[in-house]
Every structure is written in structure tokens, then in C-alpha cells.
Amino acid sequence: MKEQDLKRISRLTAIQTQLQAKRLVTAPQLAERFQVSVRTIYRDLKTLEQAGVPIRVHEGKGFGIMEGYKLPPIMFSEDEANALITAEKLVYQNKDASFIKHYTEAITKIKAVLGDKLRDKVDMLGSRTYFGFNQQQQRSSDLLSTLQQALTHHRLTKIDYKDEKANCTQRLVEPFALLHTDENWLLLGYCRLRQAYRFFRLDRIAKFTLLDERFESHNMTLEQYFNKFHPDSLNP
């Protein structure tokens, strides 16, 4: 999503808040507040109307929301919230400070409307997700969302994993963290077969099953893991 699109979404949300907080507001007032043209404000108001917000025009006075109407609270599914937190890590790789600042402010507002349990889960996911860089070829998979659920809910996973020679072994893995390097996703988890933490490339997982069995929390941060097992590597 481009920075311009993010700014417009932020502005639309703020206009809704203004209409909810005040009985009447004029287009010039909104234009001055958001540093855009009056014409842009009219386009934004039309967009809100098309989205179902009952905006009323009071000739010569301004705009308001139909009496009795309350803006619904923002609701996110867990997968949607996880996607936003994952995107946050990508945004932090951007070199534009203003873009990072605006996105961080937006994420803070989003987190504020999440329920306590969901907020705790996305905070944990945020602390267990890392983006780095290496020289390996790009890989792809379709397991990230399910693994995010497994990680935050402490669900055991069963995988058929192929090594670099295409030899396949079945593993029971306790997901601990997700790492991204040069667009390659890696699962870091405790492998019960090897009785140790192992990295698994998602594109090498031939078969994946999310089990009902739950495991105890690892009681360790990702930084603590690297300090303990890979002290010479770059800590995320």
C-alpha cells in the first residue's frame, strides 16, 4: 500500500471521528485541519456516504451525522490483526522516517481498539517476528497465517519436512518464532524428534497439520534465544 493511500485512509477515519464528535462541521474547516483542498473533502465525504455512513447536509451550516447513529467499533479477526503486525515489521525496513512514523501511529490506534486477549497475542507475535537479509534465492509458501495461529495459541504442529537433498522426515514441532530473510520465511521451533530448536524453511514443508495438543510456553524471548544459542549472530 502506498503512503498516499495510507494517508487517505487515516484522513477518512479522522473525518468520521470529527463528524461523530461535533454536531456540525464545514468543508473548509475539515480542509484546513487536514491540509487538503475543499474539493478533496467533498470526495472524502462522498466515499464515507458510499460506505454507509449517514451524512446529512445542513444548507449554509455544514455537515453532520444522522442523529442517533453511532460509528461501529473497528473489529479485526485474529488473522487480520496478525497480518497488520507482520506488515509493521516490513514497514520498519523502509528508509523514509515519516512513513514509519505515520504507520506506527496508525498501528498504535489499531491496537487500542483490540480486545485485551487479542492485543496480547499480536504483541507476542510482534516480538517473535523478525525480518533480515541473506543471499538465498526467493522462496514461497502458504503456511504463514496458520503458523501464526499455532505460535500464539501454543498448538503443536506435525510436518513432513524435506532437507536440501529432498529427504523427507516427519517432525512434531512446537512453533517458537517466525523469521524472514530476503523474502524467505523460516519457522523456528522446538523439534521433538531432534529434541532441540531447529529452523524449518516453509517452502520445504511438504505436509502440514495443526494438532489439537498444546505445549507449554517457552518462556524465552527471541533475543534471549539468539543470545543463548547463537551469540555470535546479529540479534533481531
Side-chain angles (χ1 to χ4, degrees):
M1 183 177 292
K2 297 180 180 179
E3 182 178 359
Q4 183 179 359
D5 296 327
L6 289 172
K7 286 183 177 180
R8 184 162 191 249
I9 292 173
S10 178
R11 187 174 67 248
L12 288 170
T13 302
I15 290 174
Q16 289 187 72
T17 303
Q18 287 289 308
L19 292 171
Q20 180 72 26
K22 297 182 179 180
R23 291 183 62 84
L24 291 174
V25 62
T26 67
Q29 287 174 336
L30 292 172
E32 182 179 0
R33 177 178 177 83
F34 298 108
Q35 297 296 298
V36 296
S37 67
V38 171
R39 183 177 180 181
T40 296
I41 292 298
Y42 280 119
R43 285 201 299 266
D44 288 345
L45 291 171
K46 184 176 181 180
T47 297
L48 291 173
E49 281 188 298
Q50 292 173 341
V53 179
I55 297 175
R56 295 292 179 260
V57 179
H58 300 267
E59 293 295 338
K61 295 182 179 181
F63 300 89
I65 290 183
M66 181 178 68
E67 186 175 355
Y69 177 81
K70 297 295 182 183
L71 294 174
I74 300 174
M75 299 296 291
F76 292 96
S77 69
E78 186 170 343
D79 284 339
E80 290 169 343
N82 287 343
L84 288 168
I85 298 304
T86 304
E88 182 182 26
K89 297 295 182 178
L90 279 169
V91 168
Y92 286 155
Q93 303 300 315
N94 193 283
K95 295 182 179 181
D96 185 86
S98 63
F99 179 57
I100 294 174
K101 176 179 179 293
H102 292 146
Y103 191 89
T104 300
E105 291 173 348
I107 283 292
T108 299
K109 293 177 182 177
I110 290 172
K111 286 182 179 180
V113 302
L114 299 178
D116 290 339
K117 291 183 179 180
L118 182 52
R119 184 162 54 245
D120 289 341
K121 288 176 181 177
V122 299
D123 282 342
M124 182 178 74
L125 183 64
S127 69
R128 300 279 187 87
T129 303
Y130 168 68
F131 287 87
F133 178 80
N134 66 24
Q135 298 296 328
Q136 297 180 15
Q137 185 181 1
Q138 179 178 347
R139 298 291 185 266
S140 62
S141 71
D142 193 29
L143 295 173
L144 184 60
S145 294
T146 306
L147 281 169
Q148 288 175 330
Q149 290 275 352
L151 191 157
T152 58
H153 290 269
H154 303 105
R155 295 270 297 275
L156 187 66
T157 63
K158 181 170 69 174
I159 65 173
D160 290 350
Y161 189 73
K162 293 182 179 180
D163 62 18
E164 58 186 11
K165 296 181 180 179
N167 297 317
C168 191
T169 56
Q170 189 173 91
R171 315 284 189 95
L172 291 177
V173 180
E174 302 174 7
F176 172 69
L178 293 163
L179 297 88
H180 187 274
T181 57
D182 192 21
E183 300 187 16
N184 295 328
W185 278 104
L186 303 174
L187 166 66
L188 171 59
Y190 183 81
C191 176
R192 292 187 176 179
L193 177 65
R194 306 302 186 200
Q195 296 188 359
Y197 287 94
R198 290 288 188 268
F199 289 96
F200 302 94
R201 258 177 42 179
L202 267 59
D203 63 305
R204 288 183 177 172
I205 297 178
K207 185 178 180 181
F208 176 88
T209 305
L210 181 61
L211 303 177
D212 291 330
E213 181 180 344
R214 299 180 184 272
F215 57 88
E216 293 293 325
S217 174
H218 295 277
N219 294 321
M220 175 173 56
T221 67
L222 186 56
E223 182 177 4
Q224 289 170 338
Y225 166 83
F226 276 98
N227 286 334
K228 181 177 181 179
F229 296 103
H230 303 280
D232 296 328
S233 67
L234 177 64
N235 289 341

